Amino acid sequence: KIEDAQMIRKLEHQVWGEEVVNKYDIPMYIHFGYVYIAKYESKIIGAITAYMTNKGDVYVCDLVVAKKFRGNKVGEKLYRKLLKSTKGKDIVSFLDPKNIPTLNLHKKLGAKIIAKVKNPYGLNKGLEKDIRFFVRIKNS
């Protein structure tokens, strides 16, 4: 729901210390993409946001789970919901190679590393050493 957008952004800021998906993007994902949330006692404790690329893949922008709830398969359940709703479309994303739990989850879901990319978002000249893995999950 649109009203969940602010709670998703707040969770991202708590976990990542920065805005990952801006306030204008989340309503667009809700209307035209994919957004799934996990709640505990009416609070959002996890979210996955994605959209369809012009090549027909589904690009995962963010997967975030509150630190307190990690290790409880919240992220995996969110990802499996996305996979189920996008059957037949491959899932792609950039991953931080230092984030071992995320790498392990993607490996468990069948992700293959397609490329290593320097500064994939082109945000800042100081990030040239910022390496991300570009991964693909075949979702047939």
Side-chain angles (χ1 to χ4, degrees), residues 13-106:
H13 197 271
Q14 288 170 348
V15 172
W16 306 127
E18 64 183 349
E19 181 178 83
V20 176
V21 178
N22 78 47
K23 65 183 175 184
Y24 303 108
D25 290 340
I26 292 178
M28 297 300 285
Y29 294 143
I30 292 168
H31 284 300
F32 304 110
Y34 307 91
V35 177
Y36 298 107
I37 59 170
K39 284 188 172 183
Y40 178 77
E41 295 179 354
S42 76
K43 286 189 175 186
I44 292 178
I45 60 161
I48 190 167
T49 59
Y51 63 85
M52 185 81 65
T53 71
N54 62 356
K55 296 186 190 257
D57 295 327
V58 175
Y59 175 72
V60 175
C61 307
D62 195 23
L63 171 63
V64 61
V65 176
K67 292 178 182 174
K68 177 180 174 181
F69 293 92
R70 291 184 186 165
N72 294 309
K73 299 190 184 267
V74 173
E76 181 178 345
K77 289 175 185 174
L78 288 166
Y79 227 115
R80 290 196 185 279
K81 175 77 173 169
L82 176 67
L83 288 165
K84 184 176 180 181
S85 68
T86 60
K87 195 88 171 150
K89 296 174 181 27
D90 288 358
I91 307 294
V92 295
S93 190
F94 287 108
L95 304 179
D96 181 348
K98 295 174 270 194
N99 189 335
I100 303 304
T102 298
L103 290 174
N104 288 341
L105 171 60
H106 282 80

Side-chain angles (χ1 to χ4, degrees), residues 110-122:
K112 303 286 184 226
I113 297 172
I114 303 302
K116 293 180 184 179
V117 182
K118 289 183 183 177
N119 191 12
Y121 306 109

